[in-house]
Amino acid sequence: ETSIFMGRRLLPSWFAIALALPLNCQTVTCFSPLASLPAQQRRSLHTATKMLVSPYATKPYPVGVAGTSWGLDDRKAWLARQVNQRSYAEEVLAKIEALKTSSVFTCEQYGELSVDPARYPLFVFKSREWDAAKPTCLVTGGVHGYETSGVQGALLFLQTEAAGYVPRFNLVVAPCVSPWGYEHIQRWNNNADDPNRNFKAGGPCDESNALLKLVGDLRASGVAFTAHVDLHETTDSDETEFRPAKSARDGEAYEQDSIPDGFYLVGDSENPQPEWHSAMIESVRKVTHIAPPDDKGLIIGEKPVGDGCIVYPIASLSLCASLTGAAYCTTTEVYPDSPSADADICNKAQVACVVGALDYILQKQ
């Protein structure tokens, strides 16, 4: 069956009518052919993993030469294919502006993206009454801009739960690290670089460098971070678009893989903190289902170290979760394309994870 790729979705051709919707409309970015089904029926469709057939499983990715890593011209050709599909100003900055009236947080601009500084300012919220005796927690969203609930979940946390933790924590929240990626529904930035592999000195990404400087300045002023929760998603388009694109960019052969159906966490293999991760999983379980392993006993190719949890060497991979040196650090992975989930559930799952993370730390004090 012919398919149409739009945003995070690979839609069958009979959904072509959806193209009549405005591309900057939130409905488009969260559109699912299963959304109209009753919740109970959607839950009955839940499976452990989803094997998706990418359009590039049988043909070359349309940029570059197979087996050859991209040069500058290839990256420019890739950029020319990208389309602005939603509005950072309307969907993110408007909410940030409303939150600036908060009596418990300050909001400041910590940078901007050189691709369009006026269009893409970067903002961070901090506890107004800062107390060096309190533990400090960083929450980041939208490091991968196309992962919508990372951004909207961070904003929802600020809107609903964050104020309740201010008496016990210093909170730092950067809700949208990659606004160009948010607007273009892209994992990479405008130069085809992945911000979440470039949290290192001298890296190529404005997104990563601005956050590195923000955190570096705080640490230089004496702030010691206790925890960092970095909010992400695993989407169907990881398999249908972004993994094939990465293989093409890096001159490698694309190998088909599966997508876990459910929420999971990625901890630090050098500091796994299993009890903390278990507490977050149990908090999220109240909102959405946890990803089980696939038929090989793996989650995205890794052996779980606990229910819904795998670990990576986050520092050597230059992941965002490594930038604070916190004792507790993790990356969330919500699955927005599950028949058992919708945008609201995904955003609330991100909030539940942050709440679970903070509650555990409070219990340990």
Side-chain angles (χ1 to χ4, degrees), residues 307-324:
D307 189 12
C309 184
I310 60 174
V311 292
Y312 280 172
I314 62 173
S316 64
L317 291 173
S318 302
L319 301 186
C320 181
S322 70
L323 88 162
T324 63

Side-chain angles (χ1 to χ4, degrees), residues 34 39-47 261-262 287-289 335-342 345-346:
L34 295 166
Q40 184 175 1
Q41 187 175 351
R42 284 189 280 124
R43 283 192 293 270
S44 71
L45 297 173
H46 164 64
T47 55
D261 186 351
V287 177
T288 191
H289 59 282
Y335 180 45
D337 298 303
S338 173
S340 304
D342 57 25
I345 288 173
C346 292

